[in-house]
Amino acid sequence: MTLTEKVAYLKGLMEGLNIGKETAEGKVLCAMADILEDMSKSVADLEDSMADAQGYLDELDDDLADVEDIIYEDEDEDDYYDDEDDDEDYIDDDDFIEVECPYCGETVYFDDSVDPDDITCPACNESFSCICDECDGDCGDCCDECDACESCEDLKALDGEDDE
């Protein structure tokens, strides 16, 4: 039963009980019934307006989705990401130097803003140097077994120096 139907039922009940405008109480009850009738009509009008507005918003949402499809149809996630980006361990070799931590064996990456003589492993928090003792950063004449020498060469390339 809608609000309008309930008010109509109340007014019919008042007529059936012979509540009229002759008594003071009857006058008050009739005035209240009239106010309830006006309010129920206003609420019904508001509900109709809300339904219309909701339908209009649904149409706008559908139209906006169509516009977004047209605008962004050429763009694809592949335009923003390389296949290598899917691999969370991917690091661009041009920007970083890769060394192995002598304590835990974890691969550590750093760029030219980090002091190569004081690297801290993020896995074990141990500090180490990627510059070997034999060459002190000049890797041209030191042994081939040293992993740090390869890193020193990478460091020179980052600094813009020519490899020897």
Side-chain angles (χ1 to χ4, degrees):
M1 190 184 287
T2 66
L3 189 58
T4 306
E5 291 170 340
K6 289 180 183 179
V7 172
Y9 172 76
L10 179 64
K11 287 187 115 182
L13 186 61
M14 288 174 57
E15 278 184 31
L17 294 174
N18 292 325
I19 298 176
K21 297 183 180 185
E22 296 83 32
T23 65
E25 294 87 9
K27 289 180 183 179
V28 170
L29 289 174
C30 286
M32 288 174 47
D34 290 340
I35 291 171
L36 285 173
E37 183 176 25
D38 292 342
M39 289 175 60
S40 68
K41 288 179 182 176
S42 293
V43 168
D45 289 344
L46 286 173
E47 287 174 345
D48 291 341
S49 296
M50 287 289 294
D52 291 343
Q54 185 62 45
Y56 182 68
L57 283 175
D58 290 341
E59 287 180 34
L60 282 175
D61 187 44
D62 291 342
D63 291 344
L64 180 60
D66 293 341
V67 168
E68 286 174 341
D69 288 343
I70 291 169
I71 290 174
Y72 298 115
E73 74 181 342
D74 293 336
E75 294 184 16
D76 194 3
E77 283 188 26
D78 292 339
D79 292 343
Y80 297 108
Y81 304 104
D82 285 345
D83 292 337
E84 295 177 80
D85 287 342
D86 294 336
D87 179 15
E88 61 185 58
D89 293 331
Y90 172 75
I91 294 181
D92 188 3
D93 291 336
D94 295 337
D95 297 332
F96 295 97
I97 299 170
E98 176 182 334
V99 294
E100 184 175 311
C101 174
Y103 300 102
C104 68
E106 184 73 25
T107 302
V108 178
Y109 300 93
F110 66 95
D111 63 7
D112 61 348
S113 67
V114 176
D115 181 12
D117 203 26
D118 185 29
I119 305 293
T120 302
C121 176
C124 68
N125 289 328
E126 293 289 336
S127 293
F128 64 94
S129 173
C130 80
I131 299 176
C132 60
D133 293 334
E134 289 85 13
C135 64
D136 290 330
D138 184 19
C139 295
D141 299 324
C142 71
C143 62
D144 292 332
E145 293 87 36
C146 179
D147 289 333
C149 294
E150 182 178 321
S151 300
C152 291
E153 292 297 321
D154 291 340
L155 187 61
K156 283 183 178 180
L158 263 181
D159 288 340
E161 298 177 13
D162 292 327
D163 294 340
E164 293 182 10

